[in-house]
Amino acid sequence: MCNKENVAFFGRGLTRQHNNMYVMIEIEIDQSSGFCFGVVNAIESAERELEKEHNLYSLGDLVHNSLETERLKGLGLQTINHDEFSSLKDKTVLLRAHGEPPSTYDIAKANRIKIVDATCPVVLKLQRRIYDCYQEVKGLDIQLVIYGKKGHAEVNGLVGQTDGDAIVVEKPADLEKLDFSREIALFSQTTKPLDGFREIVGMIDSRMKEGVRFRYFDTICRQVTNRLPKIKDFASKHDWVYFVAGRKSSNGKMLFEECKKSNPHTVFISDTSEINDPLPPDAHRVGVCGATSTPKWLMEEVAVRINFLNG
């Protein structure tokens, strides 16, 4: 049994009858889950701006969680896409934590758009590194490669630092795009799994022609990466786990899969309405955890729902 002084339990637990006996159910909310620094900063930036601006736009979903997006919409935040952004003039637009390519700033300047830049500092630092590397290798026979999810907002911003020249690899099969007889410089999207990056590094290294230079840079955010072992450990200590995340969250999909490997009794939900049944009879220790885009208030509401159905 865990020491309660070292974990955060929701309330004092509840009891229910099973086989003519009352058993205790403990519900624990994972204190390592929830918004990362970059998302917290973006949401706080939006809330501050909404206090003084009646028309604030977000270029893309500020966070990949529909309920949090609805909450911010209720405060006055309007989400727009890049086509809508291009036709906007004399407005205020917030750039989310994922970051944007230089072309977005050029459009803003041309259309007299005020930018509230909430790009995550870790992403911003990576953008600068990739830009500097591109300036160094431009015109040379060197391939600049980004390990990341093609089409992801952060990756689009990173590729934009290279005038669209960077090669994106998402999985081992994508390595066929590369020429291993030419020099390669490899970076990573900040939220990719460290094991995946190491696998890609090893595969490229093993295929490089002798004498050809291969440089790689571990640019993965440790605040996100460190959640993986923590959430796997959290899941393994419970009989039943509710993993809470938005359906669009790449980080959520990855963490859920790892959670499920540690505990097969892990259920993915996006909101409390998806919990309709009492817990299985042998589920006495229940965990609630989530992605870097999952608000704490939502995990708390899930715990309340569990209480309601099992009290």
Side-chain angles (χ1 to χ4, degrees), residues 136 142 182-185 208-215:
E136 173 194 331
I142 299 173
R182 296 165 52 205
E183 184 175 334
I184 293 174
M208 295 298 293
K209 297 294 183 183
E210 186 176 351
V212 179
R213 189 184 186 195
F214 169 41
R215 291 181 289 164

Side-chain angles (χ1 to χ4, degrees), residues 84-110:
E84 292 168 319
F85 175 75
S86 297
S87 61
L88 210 61
K89 289 181 172 62
D90 301 302
K91 300 296 183 180
T92 302
V93 177
L94 184 140
L95 304 184
R96 54 191 178 167
H98 299 95
E100 286 290 325
S103 57
T104 297
Y105 296 87
D106 294 339
I107 292 170
K109 185 176 180 180

Side-chain angles (χ1 to χ4, degrees), residues 6-211:
N6 297 326
V7 293
F9 285 92
F10 180 84
R12 291 177 292 179
L14 56 96
T15 58
R16 63 173 175 176
Q17 193 169 12
H18 174 57
N19 291 339
N20 296 319
M21 296 177 62
Y22 282 95
V23 295
M24 175 70 74
I25 299 175
E26 292 178 331
I27 305 170
E28 181 186 359
I29 298 174
D30 178 26
Q31 295 304 293
S32 296
S33 292
F35 293 151
C36 64
F37 168 78
V39 174
V40 169
N41 178 61
I43 290 174
E44 289 179 348
S45 296
E47 290 172 336
R48 282 195 302 270
E49 202 65 28
L50 285 166
E51 290 180 358
K52 53 186 178 182
E53 285 276 355
H54 295 297
N55 292 308
L56 178 64
Y57 298 86
S58 170
L59 185 52
D61 289 335
L62 191 58
V63 57
H64 287 154
N65 186 281
S66 59
L67 295 181
E68 181 66 7
T69 298
E70 284 299 312
R71 184 187 74 83
L72 292 167
K73 183 179 179 181
L75 297 177
L77 185 67
Q78 301 178 58
T79 301
I80 58 173
N81 59 35
H82 281 81
D83 289 339
E84 292 168 319
F85 175 75
S86 297
S87 61
L88 210 61
K89 289 181 172 62
D90 301 302
K91 300 296 183 180
T92 302
V93 177
L94 184 140
L95 304 184
R96 54 191 178 167
H98 299 95
E100 286 290 325
S103 57
T104 297
Y105 296 87
D106 294 339
I107 292 170
K109 185 176 180 180
N111 291 0
R112 302 177 302 279
I113 294 172
K114 175 188 171 185
I115 290 293
V116 178
D117 200 338
T119 303
C120 172
V122 177
V123 174
L124 193 59
K125 181 179 179 182
L126 175 55
Q127 286 184 345
R128 290 168 179 160
R129 287 187 66 180
I130 289 178
Y131 175 83
D132 289 343
C133 183
Y134 179 64
Q135 296 306 309
E136 173 194 331
V137 306
K138 188 164 59 173
L140 303 176
D141 195 26
I142 299 173
Q143 302 160 94
L144 198 157
V145 182
I146 297 170
Y147 169 55
K149 183 178 180 181
K150 190 173 179 61
H152 188 279
E154 181 190 327
V155 174
N156 290 342
L158 299 177
V159 173
Q161 309 303 316
T162 71
D163 295 331
D165 288 348
I167 302 169
V168 178
V169 297
E170 185 174 353
K171 53 189 181 299
D174 294 334
L175 297 181
E176 298 307 318
K177 303 175 186 177
L178 306 183
D179 181 350
F180 300 100
S181 66
R182 296 165 52 205
E183 184 175 334
I184 293 174
L186 174 70
F187 294 85
S188 176
Q189 177 184 342
T190 62
T191 54
K192 293 297 284 182
L194 187 56
D195 287 348
F197 178 70
R198 288 171 175 163
E199 179 186 16
I200 291 293
V201 167
M203 294 181 74
I204 293 176
D205 192 48
S206 67
R207 296 177 67 176
M208 295 298 293
K209 297 294 183 183
E210 186 176 351

